Amino acid sequence: MKHGKNYNESVKALDLTKAYESNEAMDAVIASAKAKFDETVELHVRLGVDPRQADQQVRGTVVLPNGTGRKVKVLVIAKGEKADIAAKAGADIVGAEEIIAKILNENYLDFDVVITSPDMMGQMGRVARILGPKGLMPSPKSGTVTTDVEKAIKDTKAGKVEYRVDKTAIVHCPIGKKSFGAEKLLENFNALMEAIVKAKPSAAKGTYVKSVYVAATMGPGIKVNYRA
């Protein structure tokens, strides 16, 4: 694979044989982000689990102390009082059957997160095949199916992220933007890593956190010396 000039310069400035301490890694990832836009910094964690086993799934949510730096468009599917609460709490779009029909018939997907009240989940099954593959289907585990829609909206807007292990046993998750600076990125990194470590399945054996990397959108992966 061919890489651009900025990427190659970033690689030359790194010691690829080294596992950086977490504070050093944040400085290094900022230095490697040479694009003209405010690059997202992502965390990539390889875990010692078998994602094919139901009792070794790793999934959860955490509110990053400094947010993600991303404006999130929230859709709330609810009726009556819950819909009124959602509108007042800052939901970008609020609706019920008419929104479900729009998703189903028009492939409407102009939102980043879907939150719904439990009474609407029976109807949400109609759009599961559309929302599911895009990671937009609400679920109790991610806190997006809830009676407390106000808290769910506020947490999402404040920087709540969902982490989940993929089929290759890796968790990929954003921890902020280059513009955050090293201190805020480190706070977010620590919060997310703490949540992932706490989510260790009891069925997982051996080393749980196998490797940790951080990378900017257009930059190389930087290995982190993480000790749980």
Side-chain angles (χ1 to χ4, degrees):
M1 182 183 293
K2 289 185 177 181
H3 293 289
K5 179 182 176 182
N6 288 341
Y7 181 96
N8 291 329
E9 286 180 358
S10 295
V11 169
K12 288 178 182 178
L14 294 169
D15 182 352
L16 298 181
T17 66
K18 174 182 177 180
Y20 289 76
E21 295 303 317
S22 53
N23 60 327
E24 295 177 326
M26 298 309 125
D27 288 328
V29 78
I30 289 171
S32 74
K34 299 181 182 296
K36 292 181 180 179
F37 62 93
D38 192 8
E39 294 183 54
T40 296
V41 177
E42 289 195 348
L43 174 65
H44 307 276
V45 186
R46 181 178 294 278
L47 299 175
V49 298
D50 183 352
R52 296 170 298 178
Q53 306 301 318
D55 60 356
Q56 293 190 46
Q57 292 297 309
V58 178
R59 180 180 183 181
T61 61
V62 61
V63 178
L64 299 179
N66 300 297
T68 62
R70 178 185 174 208
K71 290 184 178 179
V72 181
K73 194 170 187 178
V74 177
L75 163 64
V76 174
I77 296 179
K79 288 181 176 181
E81 183 185 6
K82 291 286 190 294
D84 294 338
I85 291 171
K88 290 177 183 176
D92 299 281
I93 313 157
V94 181
E97 289 91 351
E98 73 281 7
I99 295 292
I100 293 173
K102 192 172 183 179
I103 295 169
L104 187 63
N105 299 323
E106 301 175 28
N107 203 37
Y108 173 68
L109 293 169
D110 188 21
F111 44 82
D112 303 304
V113 175
V114 184
I115 296 168
T116 187
S117 54
D119 60 298
M120 293 299 296
M121 277 305 289
Q123 297 188 53
M124 289 298 295
R126 297 166 57 199
V127 291
R129 63 182 176 81
I130 298 172
L131 299 182
K134 297 185 179 298
L136 293 170
M137 187 66 184
S139 76
K141 285 186 178 180
S142 66
T144 47
V145 177
T146 177
T147 56
D148 194 348
V149 294
E150 181 178 9
K151 182 179 186 301
I153 293 164
K154 288 182 177 178
D155 284 350
T156 300
K157 294 281 188 178
K160 184 176 80 170
V161 294
E162 180 180 5
Y163 60 87
R164 63 187 303 175
V165 68
D166 67 13
K167 62 183 180 180
T168 64
I170 300 176
V171 173
H172 309 273
C173 205
I175 57 170
K177 298 284 188 178
K178 172 189 175 180
S179 60
F180 279 22
E183 184 176 346
K184 288 184 177 181
L185 285 174
L186 182 59
E187 289 174 355
N188 283 356
F189 170 89
N190 287 334
L192 182 52
M193 284 305 304
E194 182 179 344
I196 292 171
V197 169
K198 283 184 177 178
K200 178 183 178 180
S202 57
K205 305 299 179 185
T207 302
Y208 178 54
V209 178
K210 289 196 166 184
S211 66
V212 179
Y213 284 81
V214 290
T217 305
M218 305 297 289
I222 296 166
K223 189 173 184 179
V224 183
N225 181 24
Y226 184 81
R227 296 173 292 277

